[in-house]
């Protein structure tokens, strides 16, 4: 096994490209590994984080006429952007998607989608075999059962894939709070999608901006 370690193994926004696969109503209807609401939230947060850091994002669906359009929470992040609609179950066999990824010139390939055991695992395993550095965002993905999701993660790890959650990825892209270029945009994503952390941040801002009563102390 080739170990993924060292500074160069951390993800960088300037080297990353994100592919969001089949976040559609049909797949959501049989999502049983996660709370569906959480997956919608997490996939939206992932999309917003990618936009905040200028990471090219490829949107793709499968037979949208039958399976439904991508969640509007995602497509609203990229207004007017084409969603590549496929017939291939395996996204990495669709030339239009692969060409769009290659056109970015980036090699840190990040994937999330529904379902983990099918529409995520297939392209991940193929791309790994073709030399891509692949990361799967597990909490913006989901399977038809807990077992299906977890077994597919094990399968992808065995093939050499890296596993992360959306907040871990966003933090790795930020890396240093002294890098202020994207900090405000990232903070806005956290406020709306990071649950307790986002609410705690808003509370902190409230306290910092609330004058002490005159008789305090």
């Amino acid at each position: 096994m080739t170990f993924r370690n060292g500074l160069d193994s951390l993800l960088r926004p300037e080297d990353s490209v994100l592919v969001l696969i089949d976040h559609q109503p049909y797949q959501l209807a049989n999502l049983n590994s996660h709370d569906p609401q959480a997956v919608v939230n997490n996939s939206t947060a992932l999309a917003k984080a990618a936009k905040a850091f200028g990471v090219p994002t490829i949107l793709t669906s499968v037979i949208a006429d039958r399976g439904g359009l991508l969640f509007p929470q995602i497509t609203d992040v990229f207004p007017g952007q084409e969603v590549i609609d496929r017939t291939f179950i395996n996204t990495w066999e669709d030339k239009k998607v692969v060409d769009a990824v290659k056109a970015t010139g980036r090699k840190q390939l990040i994937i999330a989608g529904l379902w983990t055991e099918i529409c995520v695992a297939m392209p991940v395993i193929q791309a790994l075999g073709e030399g891509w550095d692949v990361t799967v965002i597990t909490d913006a993905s989901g399977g038809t059962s807990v077992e299906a999701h977890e077994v597919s993660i094990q399968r992808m790890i065995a093939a050499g894939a890296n596993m992360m959650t959306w907040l871990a990825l966003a933090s790795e892209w930020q890396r240093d709070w002294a890098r202020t270029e994207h900090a405000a945009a990232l903070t806005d994503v956290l406020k709306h999608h990071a649950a307790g952390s986002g609410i705690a941040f808003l509370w902190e801002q409230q306290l910092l901006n609330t004058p002490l009563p005159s008789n305090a102390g």
Side-chain angles (χ1 to χ4, degrees):
M1 177 183 292
T2 300
F3 290 97
R4 182 189 176 88
N5 53 31
L7 184 60
D8 286 345
S9 291
L10 298 181
L11 297 180
R12 301 168 294 279
E14 64 272 17
D15 293 326
S16 298
V17 53
L18 173 64
V19 182
L20 296 178
I21 300 173
D22 303 351
H23 290 94
Q24 297 170 254
Y26 177 84
Q27 285 83 340
L28 192 70
N30 196 29
L31 177 70
N32 296 296
S33 62
H34 295 71
D35 174 7
Q37 182 172 318
V39 171
V40 174
N41 175 76
N42 297 342
S43 57
T44 303
L46 175 59
K48 288 182 177 180
K51 185 171 185 178
F53 284 97
V55 172
T57 302
I58 313 302
L59 305 178
T60 182
S61 58
V62 63
I63 314 182
D65 284 347
R66 286 185 287 176
L69 302 175
L70 293 188
F71 307 155
Q73 291 90 336
I74 292 175
T75 53
D76 286 352
V77 178
F78 308 100
Q81 179 171 320
E82 177 190 7
V83 176
I84 301 173
D85 195 41
R86 316 177 321 277
T87 59
F88 281 107
I89 297 174
N90 175 11
T91 297
W92 215 245
E93 290 186 73
D94 189 290
K95 186 176 185 298
K96 193 170 183 180
V97 175
V98 176
D99 286 349
V101 172
K102 289 181 177 178
T104 68
R106 299 169 180 224
K107 291 294 286 184
Q108 290 185 329
L109 175 61
I110 301 162
I111 290 178
L114 304 177
W115 296 307
T116 321
E117 68 270 30
I118 300 171
C119 298
V120 174
M122 287 186 191
V124 165
I125 290 170
Q126 182 179 347
L128 285 165
E130 295 174 2
W132 290 81
D133 177 359
V134 185
T135 293
V136 175
I137 306 304
T138 60
D139 62 348
S141 304
T144 56
S145 67
V146 173
E147 180 180 10
H149 179 76
E150 292 181 350
V151 168
S152 62
I153 287 175
Q154 294 170 17
R155 183 185 181 203
M156 290 184 284
I157 290 173
N162 178 43
M163 300 291 148
M164 296 181 74
T165 57
W166 80 263
L167 186 54
L169 173 66
S171 300
E172 203 155 297
W173 279 340
Q174 177 64 34
R175 195 80 59 83
D176 182 351
W177 287 115
R179 299 173 180 172
T180 58
E181 181 181 359
H182 307 293
L186 174 58
T187 299
D188 192 61
V189 177
L190 299 181
K191 284 193 302 186
H192 290 95
H193 297 283
S197 297
I199 298 303
F201 173 80
L202 292 172
W203 184 34
E204 177 185 74
Q205 295 304 299
Q206 174 193 335
L207 295 177
L208 290 173
N209 288 283
T210 300
L212 288 173
S214 58
N215 61 348

